[in-house]
Amino acid sequence: MTSPSSTPRGTVLISGASITGPALAYWLHRAGFGVTVVEKASAPRGGGYPIDIRGTAIEVVRRMGILPRLRDAHVDTGRFTFLDADGGQIAALGADTVAGSMAGQDLEVRRGDLTAILYAAVRDDVELLFGDSVDTLDQSGNGVDVTFRSGTRRTFDLVLGADGIHSRTRELVLGPEEQFDRYLGYAVAVCTVPNTFGLSREVALWSTPGRSAALYATGDGNEVNAFLTFHQPERPLAALREPQARWDLVARTFAGAGWEVPGIVEAMRHAGDLFFDVVSQIRMPTWSNGRVALAGDAAYAPSFLTGQGSSLALVGAYMLADSLARHRGHDAAFAAYERGTREFVTMNQALVDNGGARLFPTTAEALEQRNAMLRGLAAMPATTPRPAHSALVLPELAPAP
């Protein structure tokens, strides 16, 4: 990639300004494109639970020049304690052992810290449109005619969807979400609760068959992230649509639970920052159509069970921008992006099939197997990270064609 010139190589609209979008904007600006980013939120999104940056993604942020800031923001969770139905300790492990990370190399940061650092890297170089979103796309001409929710109409050479697992861009150009959604059989609820538990830079995870509750303290503060994850064989459609049905489902699922679970359920009922969704992956035969392409969760969400969502977003953004920098035609660029990235995506999505969901067993037998594995890790911790994290070697920065 080259330094941006006064005459843009082309105009690009990026839909979404969480992780993938700003990373794409950074690299495309470096490659000489004129970049606009539209985001439906009114400002960069803060808060959120901790996320991991591992393996190949570490090289991406190093090349962006933001690795020192991310190291300063590193959470450095020290301990992961697994609890039985009554709250008794099963095993206590280092967070790196649980995540399959390389101690001292991989990073864990608050999602809001990552988005703030990415935003700072691009805010002076690209056009940012907050409080708006894409309504329609028309590729009938020599570009993409975009109508925004605000009523504004503009034309871009390319449109890139970085708008998450429920991508509007994907729906407009490649079809409805249900065509590409692979439901993994779990639902999850997350919110912030007061830290009345004395937790500091650690995670406590309680489990019974098909039900897990976790308290995640990213520091020494007065709040912790609370997670309820539960097995749901059929997608809970009513709970996704209706708040009351959602709470009926959560209350019914965790009725009679021990430890701190009743308090977590009650806190979630009144939380102002609640996130609730099913656990799914996005699997697509192609990530583009005409002048529109997808990256990050919009194209290949791996689910939080893999711990690789943010890393795939960063790597995918780099690979897409690099392909656009190498090739004059968008067809060739999008094809090269898929050729260079799909195997890495497939390996990381397969972590769920290969044991990535092992922390959330659905039967008593599977729970006992997991607990035996944890006790073994506590006696002899694993030191080798899962190869999927680092399976892709990034190409060198592409010169302009």
Side-chain angles (χ1 to χ4, degrees):
M1 294 182 187
T2 62
S3 298
S5 63
S6 57
T7 303
R9 294 179 51 189
T11 57
V12 180
L13 173 68
I14 299 170
S15 177
S18 180
I19 295 174
T20 311
L24 263 172
Y26 175 87
W27 293 115
L28 289 172
H29 171 71
R30 282 276 304 271
F33 289 88
V35 181
T36 299
V37 182
V38 63
E39 165 58 49
K40 64 183 178 180
S42 59
R45 299 174 188 264
Y49 50 84
I51 53 90
D52 296 311
I53 304 172
R54 297 185 282 194
T56 305
I58 293 292
E59 178 62 13
V60 173
V61 296
R62 185 191 69 79
R63 294 186 186 187
M64 291 181 75
I66 61 174
L67 182 57
R69 290 194 63 192
L70 289 169
R71 291 209 184 280
D72 289 342
H74 180 52
V75 171
D76 196 21
T77 300
R79 182 175 62 177
F80 213 115
T81 303
F82 293 85
L83 306 172
D84 62 21
D86 298 320
Q89 180 173 309
I90 296 167
L93 300 169
D96 292 319
T97 300
V98 176
S101 298
M102 285 288 281
Q105 296 182 29
D106 297 344
L107 296 172
E108 178 189 29
V109 298
R110 296 174 182 87
R111 187 179 184 89
D113 288 341
L114 175 57
T115 57
I117 290 169
L118 290 170
Y119 171 68
V122 300
R123 63 187 174 195
D124 296 329
D125 298 320
V126 306
E127 180 184 19
L128 294 157
L129 306 176
F130 286 99
D132 208 349
S133 60
V134 174
D135 188 30
T136 65
L137 299 171
D138 182 359
Q139 299 193 69
S140 59
N142 293 323
V144 186
D145 297 324
V146 180
T147 303
F148 294 93
R149 292 284 183 184
S150 62
T152 302
R153 296 182 179 182
R154 292 174 61 178
T155 300
F156 299 86
D157 293 313
L158 302 172
V159 172
L160 305 179
D163 43 353
I165 193 168
H166 305 300
S167 170
R168 171 67 172 167
T169 311
R170 183 184 62 230
E171 179 184 15
L172 288 171
V173 300
L174 287 159
E177 183 174 320
E178 53 264 29
Q179 291 185 12
F180 313 113
D181 180 280
R182 180 196 181 210
Y183 177 55
L184 297 179
Y186 294 87
V188 61
V190 187
C191 74
T192 303
V193 302
N195 185 8
T196 59
F197 316 99
L199 298 175
S200 174
R201 299 183 184 277
E202 60 185 304
V203 182
L205 177 67
W206 168 95
S207 297
T208 60
R211 304 184 299 175
S212 292
L215 294 170
Y216 204 134
T218 57
D220 304 314
N222 297 322
E223 294 181 326
V224 298
N225 296 117
F227 295 74
L228 294 178
T229 305
F230 56 98
H231 181 52
Q232 191 70 16
E234 300 296 326
R235 187 187 298 270
L237 297 177
L240 290 171
R241 293 191 300 261
E242 306 165 14
Q244 186 58 51
R246 180 178 311 158
W247 286 117
D248 290 345
L249 175 62
V250 170
R252 184 169 63 251
T253 300
F254 287 90
W259 187 53
E260 304 286 352
V261 177
I264 295 173
V265 172
E266 186 60 24
M268 282 190 170
R269 188 183 300 273
H270 305 289
D273 63 345
L274 178 70
F275 169 83
F276 179 91
D277 206 348
V278 296
V279 181
S280 296
Q281 293 182 337
I282 297 296
R283 297 197 175 191
M284 306 185 68
T286 182
W287 302 331
S288 65
N289 180 356
R291 293 176 174 268
V292 181
L294 306 172
D297 280 357
Y300 34 77
S303 88
F304 86 93
L305 297 177
T306 67
Q308 278 293 90
S310 298
S311 293
L312 276 184
L314 291 165
V315 172
Y318 180 95
M319 295 295 287
L320 175 52
D322 181 73
S323 294
L324 286 167
R326 290 179 185 274
H327 301 274
R328 286 196 178 275
H330 61 272
D331 289 335
F334 293 160
Y337 160 56
E338 291 204 31
R339 283 197 308 272
T341 315
R342 186 171 287 278
E343 183 178 359
F344 183 66
V345 165
T346 300
M347 288 182 66
N348 280 279
Q349 289 187 325
L351 290 173
V352 173
D353 300 324
N354 296 334
R358 193 180 300 166
L359 293 183
F360 305 101
T362 60
T363 67
E365 180 182 10
L367 179 59
E368 183 48 46
Q369 291 174 348
R370 187 209 70 172
N371 292 345
M373 176 196 71
L374 295 173
R375 295 185 190 103
L377 287 174
M380 187 177 297
T383 57
T384 303
R386 290 176 288 187
H389 298 172
S390 307
L392 179 65
V393 177
L394 295 178
E396 293 302 318
L397 299 178

